[in-house]
Amino acid sequence: MRRLALSLLLLLLLLSGCGGQVSPDEAQESIQVIAMDTAMLVTTYGEQSVPAAYACEDTIRDLEKQLSRTDPDSAVSQLNAAGELELGELGEELIPILRAAETYRRETDGAFDITVAPVMSAWGFAAGSFRVPSQAELDGLLELVDGSAVGVEGRTVTLGPGQAIDLGGIAKGYAADKIVKVLREHEVPRANINLGGNVLAYGDRPDGTPWRVGIQDPARVGEQNAFAGVLALTDSFAVTSGGYQRYFEQDGKTYHHIIDPATGYPADSGLTSVTVAAGLGEGDSGTMCDAYSTALFIMGEKKALDFWRTWEGTPFELVLVTEDGRVVVTEGLADRFTPDETSGYALEVASR
C-alpha cells in the first residue's frame, strides 16, 4: 500500500577491466518486480545470486496471489466476498499473517487494524476513485472496524458481518521476512531488497561497509535524491510510512491514505513520516516494522516515543519526521543516521 519511500543508495557494483575476473562474492543479480501495487527491486550477491533473486520473486508473487485485496482471485478477496473461507493451498500464508495482525492490533491498542478496509474503500483508496465520505457513512463503517472479530479455527477463517480486511500495511513486511529465509537457504552473503518502502539490508556491502538507506524527505517528494537523512544499516529492516505516499486533494484540502481506525479519517498526528528499523533476528521483525510504522504514524510523536520507551519485545528504533520541521531519531540509531543538511530539519535524539 505504500509507494517507494526508502531508497537504497550505491547500487552500482564497480567492475574493473573489460572481461576481468569477478569473484563469487562480487557476483550480483538485480531484478525489478511489479507486485503488491508497487515497484520492487531485488538485488542479490554471491554464487547463487541469480537463483536467489528469482526465488525471491517467486516468493513475492506467491504471497501476492494469497494476500492481495486487489486480486479478485486471492484468498483475501475470497474471504472478503464470502465472510468465511476454508483454506486450501492458496491460503497457506493467511493464518499466520492474520495472527500476527491481531497481535499488533492488541499491542498498539487498535492503531493498527486490518479491518479498517471498508473505511479505506469509502475514501476510494482501494480502487483509486477518491472521495470524501460523509460523517454518517463513516460512523456506520467504523462499527465494522474490530480486528478481534476475525476468527481462525483450524483452517477456517471468518469475518464479522459486513467486515473486510486489507493486509497492505503488513504484507510487504511479511514478504521481507520470507525473503530472509530464501537468502539464507541460498547462502547469499549480501543483498539489498526494496519492497516499495520496505527495505531489507542483508549483510553488508561488498566493501564491508553498511548499506546506505535514504529516508525520503516528505516535503520534497518531487525532487530526486531529496532525503531527510540516510541510515547506515547491516542485517536490518527499515520500513517507512508517510502521508505523502498516496493522497488526493479536494476543495483545497489534502487527504492521505493512512486512516486512523478510531476516527475513520486520515491520521492527523503531526508526523509526516515514520521509519521503523530493526535487526533481522529469527522471527518476524520485518512484519513488525511494517505494522508499527503505520500504527506509530497514527499515534503521533509523543505516543510513538512512549511506545518505543516502554516496549519490551523485539528491539526496534525510530526516525520520525514532524510537520513542524524536525527529525527525531531514537538513540539506538543516532550513530547510524546522517541528516541531510539541505533538508532544513532540526535533528533531535530521543533517549529512554
Side-chain angles (χ1 to χ4, degrees):
M1 191 161 47
R2 289 188 285 272
R3 295 178 181 175
L4 297 179
L6 293 173
S7 299
L8 281 169
L9 303 182
L10 200 59
L11 294 180
L12 295 178
L13 177 64
L14 300 179
L15 304 179
S16 61
C18 181
Q21 295 297 313
V22 179
S23 73
D25 196 42
E26 291 177 329
Q28 78 169 65
E29 179 70 9
S30 188
I31 61 174
Q32 186 179 60
V33 180
I34 307 299
M36 298 185 181
D37 299 323
T38 193
M40 303 179 176
L41 184 64
V42 175
T43 304
T44 53
Y45 292 76
E47 293 180 317
Q48 295 296 310
S49 58
V50 174
Y54 287 97
C56 290
E57 180 182 10
D58 290 343
T59 296
I60 292 167
R61 297 204 181 281
D62 178 63
L63 290 174
E64 182 180 38
K65 290 178 182 178
Q66 298 185 58
L67 308 178
S68 173
R69 186 184 174 201
T70 59
D71 180 351
D73 297 322
S74 73
V76 164
S77 292
Q78 293 179 37
L79 174 62
N80 285 342
E84 180 174 321
L85 184 64
E86 180 74 25
L87 298 181
E89 291 185 5
L90 178 64
E92 283 293 329
E93 302 292 350
L94 191 54
I95 289 178
I97 200 171
L98 288 178
R99 287 177 173 158
E102 174 57 13
T103 296
Y104 301 132
R105 185 196 67 82
R106 292 195 308 268
E107 291 172 350
T108 62
D109 292 328
F112 179 81
D113 197 316
I114 59 174
T115 61
V116 76
V119 180
M120 294 186 64
S121 293
W123 285 92
F125 287 112
S129 302
F130 304 121
R131 56 185 285 267
V132 178
S134 69
Q135 186 61 57
E137 182 180 2
L138 289 177
D139 289 343
L141 293 174
L142 284 172
E143 295 180 3
L144 306 176
V145 180
D146 179 9
S148 67
V150 179
V152 177
E153 184 173 350
R155 295 185 60 80
T156 301
V157 181
T158 57
L159 303 179
Q163 283 191 318
I165 63 171
D166 188 318
L167 299 174
I170 192 173
K172 288 191 283 292
Y174 187 83
D177 283 322
K178 291 290 182 180
I179 286 174
V180 170
K181 296 180 180 179
V182 172
L183 298 176
R184 287 172 174 167
E185 289 169 0
H186 285 78
E187 299 182 346
V188 170
R190 55 183 51 84
N192 50 57
I193 314 291
N194 191 325
L195 305 182
N198 290 247
V199 168
L200 165 59
Y202 187 83
D204 53 15
R205 298 191 328 192
D207 64 2
T209 60
W211 294 104
R212 292 170 55 79
V213 180
I215 298 177
Q216 173 70 55
D217 181 357
R220 299 182 293 162
V221 177
E223 298 181 29
Q224 187 176 7
N225 296 330
F227 302 114
V230 176
L231 287 170
L233 298 178
T234 300
D235 284 332
S236 299
F237 299 100
V239 180
T240 293
S241 290
Y244 62 90
Q245 295 165 341
R246 186 190 293 183
Y247 61 91
F248 71 95
E249 295 182 1
Q250 182 171 315
D251 299 327
K253 186 172 182 179
T254 300
Y255 301 91
H256 62 74
H257 75 290
I258 304 178
I259 303 297
D260 185 342
T263 67
Y265 280 87
D268 184 13
S269 65
L271 297 175
T272 56
S273 83
V274 170
T275 299
V276 181
L280 300 191
E282 298 297 329
D284 59 352
S285 296
T287 311
M288 176 194 73
C289 289
D290 205 2
Y292 284 175
S293 68
T294 299
L296 301 185
F297 181 93
I298 291 169
M299 289 183 188
E301 178 183 352
K302 183 180 184 305
K303 289 184 178 179
L305 291 176
D306 287 345
F307 185 87
W308 167 73
R309 289 185 176 108
T310 58
W311 179 242
E312 297 179 350
T314 302
F316 67 89
E317 302 293 337
L318 301 174
V319 179
L320 312 178
V321 183
T322 71
E323 289 181 350
D324 61 4
R326 293 174 295 120
V327 174
V328 182
V329 181
T330 54
E331 60 186 0
L333 282 180
D335 62 349
R336 291 179 283 165
F337 179 81
T338 302
D340 185 332
E341 295 182 357
T342 67
S343 69
Y345 291 108
L347 176 64
E348 297 181 5
V349 177
S351 62
R352 297 187 188 276

